[in-house]
Amino acid sequence: PGSPYIVDGDRIYIEGNDYFRATGNVEIERDSLNAFADEVEYDQVRGRILLEGSARVDGPTYDLVGRTITLGMNGDAIDELRAVEDAVLTGEDLQLRSPEIRIYLTDDLLQRLVAIMAAPPSDGRSGDDEDEDYGTLARPIALAEDFELTADSIEVIAPGEVLQQI
């Protein structure tokens, strides 16, 4: 069911019908989805595609980048995207930067978006020093032409891609 994935990479390891791992400049194309990463793991049993290293997903109305992006699958459809570490979501009129961005889809349409802070450092730092990696840079920032929104977390409710609540 559904369109096949077209995968291009330097090395591809296939195991049965429901698992593959590709490394080296990997590109994936399927319908309106284009994904890129240093390494990709597709695991149908776990219901996910894992993009690691310079990960990017170009959707029909957005671009999402991060060090790692996980695409959650419900059967054959992608219903969740999760970008972590230096995540940036760029849409037509908005850019969202955050340590972690989660996008929830139904029938390829945005339903909900969540951007959250990075977890506190485990090395005992307080996170109060803005010169460190943790601090205000670890908070989600939404930028548009006429506003900037910074918060500990940002949640957008937009059933069928119609903005309802932020």
Short mmCIF file of all heavy atoms in Angstrom, two decimals, residues 92-160:
data_model
loop_
_atom_site.label_atom_id
_atom_site.label_comp_id
_atom_site.label_asym_id
_atom_site.label_seq_id
_atom_site.Cartn_x
_atom_site.Cartn_y
_atom_site.Cartn_z
N GLU A 92 6.17 29.09 5.56
CA GLU A 92 6.04 30.24 4.68
C GLU A 92 6.24 31.56 5.40
O GLU A 92 6.93 32.45 4.92
CB GLU A 92 4.66 30.23 4.01
CG GLU A 92 4.51 29.13 2.98
CD GLU A 92 3.14 29.14 2.34
OE1 GLU A 92 2.51 30.22 2.29
OE2 GLU A 92 2.70 28.09 1.90
N ASP A 93 5.65 31.71 6.58
CA ASP A 93 5.69 32.99 7.29
C ASP A 93 6.32 32.90 8.68
O ASP A 93 6.24 33.85 9.45
CB ASP A 93 4.27 33.55 7.45
CG ASP A 93 3.59 33.79 6.11
OD1 ASP A 93 4.29 34.24 5.19
OD2 ASP A 93 2.39 33.51 6.00
N LEU A 94 6.92 31.77 9.02
CA LEU A 94 7.38 31.56 10.38
C LEU A 94 8.64 30.70 10.41
O LEU A 94 8.78 29.78 9.61
CB LEU A 94 6.27 30.86 11.19
CG LEU A 94 6.58 30.52 12.63
CD1 LEU A 94 6.54 31.78 13.49
CD2 LEU A 94 5.56 29.52 13.15
N GLN A 95 9.53 31.04 11.35
CA GLN A 95 10.66 30.16 11.64
C GLN A 95 10.62 29.86 13.13
O GLN A 95 10.47 30.77 13.94
CB GLN A 95 11.99 30.80 11.28
CG GLN A 95 13.15 29.83 11.52
CD GLN A 95 14.49 30.45 11.24
OE1 GLN A 95 14.93 31.32 11.97
NE2 GLN A 95 15.13 29.98 10.18
N LEU A 96 10.76 28.59 13.48
CA LEU A 96 10.76 28.15 14.86
C LEU A 96 12.07 27.44 15.13
O LEU A 96 12.41 26.48 14.44
CB LEU A 96 9.58 27.20 15.12
CG LEU A 96 9.49 26.57 16.50
CD1 LEU A 96 9.32 27.63 17.58
CD2 LEU A 96 8.34 25.58 16.55
N ARG A 97 12.82 27.94 16.13
CA ARG A 97 14.08 27.30 16.54
C ARG A 97 13.89 26.80 17.96
O ARG A 97 13.38 27.53 18.81
CB ARG A 97 15.23 28.30 16.48
CG ARG A 97 15.53 28.78 15.09
CD ARG A 97 16.66 29.76 15.06
NE ARG A 97 16.32 30.88 15.96
CZ ARG A 97 16.99 32.00 16.02
NH1 ARG A 97 18.05 32.19 15.27
NH2 ARG A 97 16.62 32.98 16.82
N SER A 98 14.34 25.57 18.20
CA SER A 98 14.13 24.98 19.52
C SER A 98 15.04 23.76 19.69
O SER A 98 15.42 23.13 18.71
CB SER A 98 12.67 24.54 19.65
OG SER A 98 12.41 23.98 20.91
N PRO A 99 15.37 23.42 20.93
CA PRO A 99 16.13 22.19 21.15
C PRO A 99 15.36 20.94 20.69
O PRO A 99 15.95 19.98 20.25
CB PRO A 99 16.33 22.17 22.66
CG PRO A 99 16.26 23.60 23.06
CD PRO A 99 15.24 24.22 22.16
N GLU A 100 14.02 20.99 20.79
CA GLU A 100 13.21 19.87 20.33
C GLU A 100 11.91 20.37 19.76
O GLU A 100 11.23 21.20 20.36
CB GLU A 100 12.93 18.89 21.47
CG GLU A 100 12.13 17.69 21.05
CD GLU A 100 11.99 16.63 22.13
OE1 GLU A 100 12.85 16.57 23.03
OE2 GLU A 100 11.02 15.86 22.06
N ILE A 101 11.56 19.86 18.58
CA ILE A 101 10.30 20.21 17.92
C ILE A 101 9.58 18.91 17.58
O ILE A 101 10.16 18.01 16.99
CB ILE A 101 10.52 21.02 16.63
CG1 ILE A 101 11.20 22.36 16.96
CG2 ILE A 101 9.20 21.24 15.90
CD1 ILE A 101 11.59 23.16 15.73
N ARG A 102 8.31 18.86 17.94
CA ARG A 102 7.45 17.71 17.59
C ARG A 102 6.28 18.20 16.75
O ARG A 102 5.63 19.18 17.10
CB ARG A 102 6.92 17.03 18.85
CG ARG A 102 8.01 16.43 19.70
CD ARG A 102 7.45 15.80 20.93
NE ARG A 102 8.53 15.37 21.81
CZ ARG A 102 8.34 14.74 22.96
NH1 ARG A 102 7.11 14.49 23.36
NH2 ARG A 102 9.36 14.38 23.69
N ILE A 103 6.03 17.51 15.66
CA ILE A 103 4.94 17.84 14.76
C ILE A 103 4.03 16.62 14.66
O ILE A 103 4.51 15.51 14.40
CB ILE A 103 5.47 18.21 13.36
CG1 ILE A 103 6.40 19.42 13.45
CG2 ILE A 103 4.30 18.48 12.40
CD1 ILE A 103 7.12 19.72 12.14
N TYR A 104 2.74 16.83 14.87
CA TYR A 104 1.76 15.75 14.79
C TYR A 104 0.87 15.98 13.57
O TYR A 104 0.34 17.08 13.39
CB TYR A 104 0.92 15.69 16.07
CG TYR A 104 1.78 15.47 17.29
CD1 TYR A 104 2.29 16.53 18.03
CD2 TYR A 104 2.12 14.17 17.69
CE1 TYR A 104 3.09 16.32 19.14
CE2 TYR A 104 2.92 13.95 18.80
CZ TYR A 104 3.40 15.03 19.52
OH TYR A 104 4.21 14.82 20.62
N LEU A 105 0.75 14.97 12.72
CA LEU A 105 0.04 15.07 11.45
C LEU A 105 -1.13 14.08 11.39
O LEU A 105 -1.07 13.01 12.00
CB LEU A 105 0.98 14.74 10.29
CG LEU A 105 2.29 15.51 10.18
CD1 LEU A 105 3.18 14.86 9.14
CD2 LEU A 105 2.03 16.95 9.85
N THR A 106 -2.12 14.46 10.61
CA THR A 106 -3.18 13.54 10.21
C THR A 106 -3.41 13.76 8.74
O THR A 106 -3.64 14.91 8.31
CB THR A 106 -4.48 13.80 11.00
OG1 THR A 106 -4.23 13.63 12.39
CG2 THR A 106 -5.58 12.83 10.57
N ASP A 107 -3.32 12.71 7.95
CA ASP A 107 -3.46 12.81 6.48
C ASP A 107 -2.54 13.88 5.92
O ASP A 107 -2.95 14.70 5.09
CB ASP A 107 -4.92 13.09 6.10
CG ASP A 107 -5.86 11.99 6.51
OD1 ASP A 107 -5.43 10.81 6.49
OD2 ASP A 107 -7.02 12.29 6.88
N ASP A 108 -1.29 13.89 6.36
CA ASP A 108 -0.25 14.83 5.91
C ASP A 108 -0.52 16.28 6.28
O ASP A 108 0.15 17.18 5.78
CB ASP A 108 0.00 14.72 4.40
CG ASP A 108 0.60 13.39 4.02
OD1 ASP A 108 1.35 12.82 4.83
OD2 ASP A 108 0.33 12.92 2.90
N LEU A 109 -1.52 16.55 7.13
CA LEU A 109 -1.82 17.91 7.54
C LEU A 109 -1.45 18.11 9.01
O LEU A 109 -1.72 17.25 9.85
CB LEU A 109 -3.31 18.23 7.36
CG LEU A 109 -3.84 18.21 5.93
CD1 LEU A 109 -5.34 18.42 5.92
CD2 LEU A 109 -3.14 19.26 5.08
N LEU A 110 -0.85 19.26 9.31
CA LEU A 110 -0.48 19.60 10.67
C LEU A 110 -1.72 19.67 11.55
O LEU A 110 -2.71 20.29 11.18
CB LEU A 110 0.23 20.96 10.70
CG LEU A 110 0.53 21.53 12.08
CD1 LEU A 110 1.69 20.77 12.71
CD2 LEU A 110 0.84 23.00 12.00
N GLN A 111 -1.64 19.01 12.71
CA GLN A 111 -2.71 19.08 13.70
C GLN A 111 -2.23 19.81 14.96
O GLN A 111 -2.96 20.58 15.55
CB GLN A 111 -3.18 17.68 14.10
CG GLN A 111 -3.66 16.84 12.94
CD GLN A 111 -4.84 17.46 12.22
OE1 GLN A 111 -5.83 17.85 12.83
NE2 GLN A 111 -4.76 17.55 10.90
N ARG A 112 -0.96 19.53 15.30
CA ARG A 112 -0.40 20.07 16.54
C ARG A 112 1.10 20.16 16.41
O ARG A 112 1.72 19.31 15.77
CB ARG A 112 -0.78 19.12 17.69
CG ARG A 112 -0.32 19.53 19.04
CD ARG A 112 -0.93 18.59 20.09
NE ARG A 112 -0.29 18.79 21.35
CZ ARG A 112 0.32 17.85 22.05
NH1 ARG A 112 0.34 16.61 21.61
NH2 ARG A 112 0.89 18.13 23.20
N LEU A 113 1.68 21.18 17.02
CA LEU A 113 3.12 21.36 17.01
C LEU A 113 3.54 21.71 18.44
O LEU A 113 2.88 22.52 19.11
CB LEU A 113 3.48 22.51 16.06
CG LEU A 113 4.95 22.85 15.93
CD1 LEU A 113 5.24 23.27 14.52
CD2 LEU A 113 5.34 23.94 16.89
N VAL A 114 4.64 21.11 18.91
CA VAL A 114 5.14 21.38 20.25
C VAL A 114 6.64 21.62 20.16
O VAL A 114 7.36 20.83 19.54
CB VAL A 114 4.86 20.18 21.20
CG1 VAL A 114 5.43 20.45 22.58
CG2 VAL A 114 3.37 19.90 21.28
N ALA A 115 7.10 22.72 20.77
CA ALA A 115 8.53 23.02 20.86
C ALA A 115 8.86 23.14 22.35
O ALA A 115 8.16 23.85 23.08
CB ALA A 115 8.85 24.31 20.14
N ILE A 116 9.91 22.43 22.78
CA ILE A 116 10.23 22.42 24.21
C ILE A 116 11.70 22.73 24.44
O ILE A 116 12.53 22.60 23.54
CB ILE A 116 9.85 21.08 24.87
CG1 ILE A 116 10.59 19.92 24.21
CG2 ILE A 116 8.35 20.87 24.82
CD1 ILE A 116 10.37 18.58 24.87
N MET A 117 12.00 23.12 25.68
CA MET A 117 13.36 23.43 26.09
C MET A 117 14.20 22.16 26.11
O MET A 117 13.68 21.05 26.16
CB MET A 117 13.38 24.02 27.50
CG MET A 117 12.77 25.39 27.61
SD MET A 117 12.75 25.99 29.30
CE MET A 117 14.47 25.91 29.75
N ALA A 118 15.51 22.38 26.14
CA ALA A 118 16.43 21.27 26.33
C ALA A 118 16.35 20.83 27.79
O ALA A 118 16.06 21.62 28.68
CB ALA A 118 17.86 21.71 26.00
N ALA A 119 16.63 19.57 28.02
CA ALA A 119 16.70 19.07 29.39
C ALA A 119 17.88 19.74 30.09
O ALA A 119 18.89 20.05 29.46
CB ALA A 119 16.88 17.56 29.39
N PRO A 120 17.77 19.99 31.40
CA PRO A 120 18.89 20.60 32.12
C PRO A 120 20.15 19.76 31.97
O PRO A 120 20.07 18.54 31.85
CB PRO A 120 18.42 20.62 33.57
CG PRO A 120 16.94 20.48 33.51
CD PRO A 120 16.64 19.71 32.26
N PRO A 121 21.31 20.40 31.97
CA PRO A 121 22.55 19.65 31.83
C PRO A 121 22.75 18.70 33.00
O PRO A 121 22.38 19.01 34.13
CB PRO A 121 23.63 20.73 31.79
CG PRO A 121 22.99 21.96 32.33
CD PRO A 121 21.52 21.83 32.11
N SER A 122 23.31 17.56 32.73
CA SER A 122 23.51 16.55 33.77
C SER A 122 24.83 16.72 34.50
O SER A 122 25.12 15.97 35.42
CB SER A 122 23.45 15.15 33.15
OG SER A 122 24.47 15.02 32.17
N ASP A 123 25.61 17.75 34.13
CA ASP A 123 26.91 17.93 34.77
C ASP A 123 26.88 18.91 35.93
O ASP A 123 27.91 19.38 36.39
CB ASP A 123 27.96 18.37 33.74
CG ASP A 123 27.60 19.69 33.07
OD1 ASP A 123 26.59 20.31 33.46
OD2 ASP A 123 28.33 20.10 32.15
N GLY A 124 25.67 19.27 36.41
CA GLY A 124 25.57 20.10 37.60
C GLY A 124 25.51 21.60 37.31
O GLY A 124 25.35 22.39 38.23
N ARG A 125 25.64 22.02 36.05
CA ARG A 125 25.54 23.45 35.74
C ARG A 125 24.12 23.93 35.99
O ARG A 125 23.17 23.19 35.81
CB ARG A 125 25.92 23.73 34.28
CG ARG A 125 27.39 23.46 34.00
CD ARG A 125 27.72 23.80 32.56
NE ARG A 125 27.06 22.82 31.69
CZ ARG A 125 26.68 23.07 30.46
NH1 ARG A 125 26.87 24.25 29.93
NH2 ARG A 125 26.11 22.14 29.72
N SER A 126 23.98 25.17 36.39
CA SER A 126 22.67 25.71 36.73
C SER A 126 21.85 26.06 35.50
O SER A 126 20.63 26.11 35.57
CB SER A 126 22.82 26.95 37.60
OG SER A 126 23.40 27.99 36.83
N GLY A 127 22.52 26.38 34.40
CA GLY A 127 21.80 26.80 33.20
C GLY A 127 21.50 28.29 33.19
O GLY A 127 20.86 28.79 32.29
N ASP A 128 21.97 29.03 34.23
CA ASP A 128 21.71 30.46 34.30
C ASP A 128 22.68 31.28 33.45
O ASP A 128 22.42 32.42 33.15
CB ASP A 128 21.80 30.94 35.75
CG ASP A 128 20.68 30.35 36.59
OD1 ASP A 128 19.61 30.04 36.01
OD2 ASP A 128 20.87 30.20 37.81
N ASP A 129 23.81 30.74 33.10
CA ASP A 129 24.83 31.47 32.34
C ASP A 129 24.51 31.38 30.86
O ASP A 129 24.60 30.32 30.26
CB ASP A 129 26.22 30.90 32.64
CG ASP A 129 27.34 31.69 31.98
OD1 ASP A 129 27.03 32.63 31.21
OD2 ASP A 129 28.51 31.37 32.26
N GLU A 130 24.16 32.52 30.24
CA GLU A 130 23.78 32.50 28.83
C GLU A 130 24.96 32.22 27.91
O GLU A 130 24.77 31.95 26.74
CB GLU A 130 23.12 33.82 28.45
CG GLU A 130 21.78 34.00 29.13
CD GLU A 130 21.10 35.28 28.71
OE1 GLU A 130 21.43 35.81 27.65
OE2 GLU A 130 20.23 35.73 29.45
N ASP A 131 26.20 32.31 28.42
CA ASP A 131 27.36 32.00 27.60
C ASP A 131 27.55 30.51 27.43
O ASP A 131 28.28 30.06 26.57
CB ASP A 131 28.63 32.61 28.21
CG ASP A 131 28.61 34.13 28.14
OD1 ASP A 131 27.94 34.66 27.22
OD2 ASP A 131 29.23 34.77 29.00
N GLU A 132 26.90 29.72 28.28
CA GLU A 132 27.00 28.27 28.17
C GLU A 132 25.99 27.78 27.14
O GLU A 132 25.12 28.53 26.71
CB GLU A 132 26.74 27.63 29.53
CG GLU A 132 27.78 28.03 30.57
CD GLU A 132 27.51 27.37 31.90
OE1 GLU A 132 26.80 26.36 31.93
OE2 GLU A 132 28.03 27.85 32.91
N ASP A 133 26.09 26.52 26.77
CA ASP A 133 25.15 25.96 25.80
C ASP A 133 23.72 26.00 26.30
O ASP A 133 22.78 26.12 25.54
CB ASP A 133 25.53 24.52 25.46
CG ASP A 133 26.80 24.44 24.64
OD1 ASP A 133 27.14 25.44 23.99
OD2 ASP A 133 27.46 23.39 24.68
N TYR A 134 23.55 25.88 27.61
CA TYR A 134 22.23 25.89 28.22
C TYR A 134 21.92 27.31 28.65
O TYR A 134 22.80 28.07 28.98
CB TYR A 134 22.20 24.92 29.40
CG TYR A 134 20.82 24.70 29.95
CD1 TYR A 134 19.93 23.87 29.28
CD2 TYR A 134 20.41 25.33 31.10
CE1 TYR A 134 18.66 23.67 29.77
CE2 TYR A 134 19.15 25.13 31.60
CZ TYR A 134 18.28 24.31 30.94
OH TYR A 134 17.03 24.12 31.42
N GLY A 135 20.72 27.72 28.68
CA GLY A 135 20.35 29.08 29.04
C GLY A 135 19.27 29.54 28.10
O GLY A 135 18.47 28.74 27.63
N THR A 136 19.21 30.83 27.78
CA THR A 136 18.13 31.31 26.93
C THR A 136 18.20 30.72 25.53
O THR A 136 17.20 30.62 24.85
CB THR A 136 18.14 32.85 26.84
OG1 THR A 136 19.39 33.25 26.31
CG2 THR A 136 17.90 33.48 28.18
N LEU A 137 19.40 30.29 25.10
CA LEU A 137 19.50 29.68 23.78
C LEU A 137 18.81 28.33 23.73
O LEU A 137 18.55 27.80 22.65
CB LEU A 137 20.97 29.52 23.39
CG LEU A 137 21.75 30.82 23.25
CD1 LEU A 137 23.21 30.52 22.94
CD2 LEU A 137 21.15 31.70 22.17
N ALA A 138 18.52 27.75 24.90
CA ALA A 138 17.88 26.44 24.95
C ALA A 138 16.36 26.56 25.00
O ALA A 138 15.68 25.58 25.24
CB ALA A 138 18.39 25.66 26.16
N ARG A 139 15.83 27.76 24.77
CA ARG A 139 14.38 27.96 24.80
C ARG A 139 13.85 28.08 23.37
O ARG A 139 14.53 28.62 22.51
CB ARG A 139 14.06 29.23 25.58
CG ARG A 139 14.52 29.14 27.03
CD ARG A 139 14.29 30.42 27.75
NE ARG A 139 12.86 30.59 27.97
CZ ARG A 139 12.31 31.76 28.28
NH1 ARG A 139 13.05 32.84 28.38
NH2 ARG A 139 11.01 31.85 28.48
N PRO A 140 12.64 27.63 23.13
CA PRO A 140 12.05 27.80 21.81
C PRO A 140 11.83 29.27 21.46
O PRO A 140 11.44 30.06 22.32
CB PRO A 140 10.69 27.09 21.93
CG PRO A 140 10.83 26.19 23.10
CD PRO A 140 11.80 26.84 24.02
N ILE A 141 12.10 29.61 20.21
CA ILE A 141 11.92 30.97 19.71
C ILE A 141 11.18 30.88 18.37
O ILE A 141 11.66 30.23 17.44
CB ILE A 141 13.27 31.69 19.50
CG1 ILE A 141 14.04 31.79 20.81
CG2 ILE A 141 13.05 33.07 18.89
CD1 ILE A 141 15.46 32.30 20.64
N ALA A 142 10.03 31.52 18.30
CA ALA A 142 9.26 31.60 17.06
C ALA A 142 9.41 33.00 16.49
O ALA A 142 9.18 33.99 17.20
CB ALA A 142 7.79 31.29 17.31
N LEU A 143 9.82 33.10 15.24
CA LEU A 143 10.06 34.39 14.59
C LEU A 143 9.17 34.52 13.35
O LEU A 143 9.13 33.62 12.52
CB LEU A 143 11.51 34.51 14.15
CG LEU A 143 12.57 34.38 15.24
CD1 LEU A 143 13.95 34.23 14.62
CD2 LEU A 143 12.51 35.58 16.17
N ALA A 144 8.48 35.64 13.27
CA ALA A 144 7.70 35.98 12.08
C ALA A 144 8.02 37.42 11.73
O ALA A 144 8.78 38.08 12.44
CB ALA A 144 6.20 35.80 12.35
N GLU A 145 7.45 37.91 10.66
CA GLU A 145 7.78 39.27 10.21
C GLU A 145 7.49 40.31 11.28
O GLU A 145 8.26 41.23 11.48
CB GLU A 145 6.98 39.59 8.94
CG GLU A 145 7.37 40.92 8.34
CD GLU A 145 6.67 41.16 7.02
OE1 GLU A 145 6.60 40.23 6.21
OE2 GLU A 145 6.21 42.29 6.83
N ASP A 146 6.38 40.18 11.99
CA ASP A 146 6.00 41.22 12.93
C ASP A 146 5.94 40.78 14.39
O ASP A 146 5.37 41.47 15.22
CB ASP A 146 4.67 41.85 12.52
CG ASP A 146 3.60 40.81 12.24
OD1 ASP A 146 3.89 39.61 12.32
OD2 ASP A 146 2.47 41.22 11.92
N PHE A 147 6.50 39.62 14.74
CA PHE A 147 6.57 39.24 16.15
C PHE A 147 7.65 38.22 16.42
O PHE A 147 8.12 37.52 15.52
CB PHE A 147 5.21 38.74 16.67
CG PHE A 147 4.90 37.31 16.31
CD1 PHE A 147 5.25 36.27 17.16
CD2 PHE A 147 4.25 37.00 15.13
CE1 PHE A 147 4.96 34.95 16.84
CE2 PHE A 147 3.96 35.68 14.81
CZ PHE A 147 4.31 34.67 15.66
N GLU A 148 8.02 38.15 17.71
CA GLU A 148 8.95 37.14 18.21
C GLU A 148 8.35 36.59 19.48
O GLU A 148 7.92 37.34 20.36
CB GLU A 148 10.31 37.75 18.50
CG GLU A 148 11.30 36.76 19.08
CD GLU A 148 12.66 37.36 19.34
OE1 GLU A 148 13.14 38.14 18.49
OE2 GLU A 148 13.24 37.05 20.39
N LEU A 149 8.30 35.28 19.60
CA LEU A 149 7.75 34.61 20.77
C LEU A 149 8.81 33.69 21.33
O LEU A 149 9.32 32.81 20.62
CB LEU A 149 6.50 33.80 20.37
CG LEU A 149 5.86 32.94 21.45
CD1 LEU A 149 5.36 33.80 22.59
CD2 LEU A 149 4.73 32.12 20.85
N THR A 150 9.17 33.90 22.59
CA THR A 150 10.14 33.06 23.28
C THR A 150 9.48 32.52 24.53
O THR A 150 8.84 33.29 25.27
CB THR A 150 11.40 33.86 23.66
OG1 THR A 150 11.95 34.44 22.49
CG2 THR A 150 12.43 32.96 24.32
N ALA A 151 9.63 31.23 24.80
CA ALA A 151 8.98 30.63 25.96
C ALA A 151 9.71 29.36 26.36
O ALA A 151 10.59 28.89 25.64
CB ALA A 151 7.53 30.31 25.64
N ASP A 152 9.34 28.83 27.51
CA ASP A 152 9.89 27.54 27.92
C ASP A 152 9.36 26.44 27.02
O ASP A 152 10.04 25.46 26.75
CB ASP A 152 9.52 27.23 29.37
CG ASP A 152 10.21 28.15 30.36
OD1 ASP A 152 11.20 28.82 29.97
OD2 ASP A 152 9.76 28.22 31.51
N SER A 153 8.13 26.60 26.56
CA SER A 153 7.56 25.67 25.59
C SER A 153 6.52 26.43 24.76
O SER A 153 5.93 27.41 25.23
CB SER A 153 6.92 24.46 26.27
OG SER A 153 5.81 24.86 27.05
N ILE A 154 6.33 25.97 23.56
CA ILE A 154 5.34 26.55 22.66
C ILE A 154 4.51 25.41 22.10
O ILE A 154 5.07 24.42 21.62
CB ILE A 154 6.00 27.33 21.50
CG1 ILE A 154 6.82 28.51 22.04
CG2 ILE A 154 4.94 27.81 20.51
CD1 ILE A 154 7.65 29.22 20.98
N GLU A 155 3.20 25.54 22.19
CA GLU A 155 2.31 24.54 21.61
C GLU A 155 1.34 25.23 20.67
O GLU A 155 0.74 26.25 21.01
CB GLU A 155 1.53 23.80 22.69
CG GLU A 155 0.61 22.75 22.13
CD GLU A 155 -0.09 21.93 23.19
OE1 GLU A 155 -0.11 22.34 24.36
OE2 GLU A 155 -0.64 20.87 22.84
N VAL A 156 1.24 24.69 19.47
CA VAL A 156 0.33 25.24 18.46
C VAL A 156 -0.71 24.18 18.15
O VAL A 156 -0.36 23.04 17.81
CB VAL A 156 1.10 25.62 17.17
CG1 VAL A 156 0.14 26.08 16.09
CG2 VAL A 156 2.15 26.68 17.48
N ILE A 157 -1.97 24.54 18.29
CA ILE A 157 -3.08 23.65 17.95
C ILE A 157 -3.65 24.18 16.63
O ILE A 157 -4.09 25.33 16.55
CB ILE A 157 -4.18 23.64 19.04
CG1 ILE A 157 -3.59 23.32 20.41
CG2 ILE A 157 -5.30 22.69 18.66
CD1 ILE A 157 -3.01 21.95 20.55
N ALA A 158 -3.62 23.35 15.59
CA ALA A 158 -4.06 23.79 14.26
C ALA A 158 -4.69 22.61 13.52
O ALA A 158 -4.10 22.08 12.58
CB ALA A 158 -2.90 24.37 13.48
N PRO A 159 -5.87 22.19 13.92
CA PRO A 159 -6.50 21.06 13.23
C PRO A 159 -6.68 21.36 11.74
O PRO A 159 -7.18 22.42 11.38
CB PRO A 159 -7.84 20.90 13.92
CG PRO A 159 -7.84 21.82 15.10
CD PRO A 159 -6.69 22.76 14.95
N GLY A 160 -6.23 20.44 10.91
CA GLY A 160 -6.32 20.64 9.47
C GLY A 160 -5.53 21.83 8.98
O GLY A 160 -5.87 22.43 7.97
#
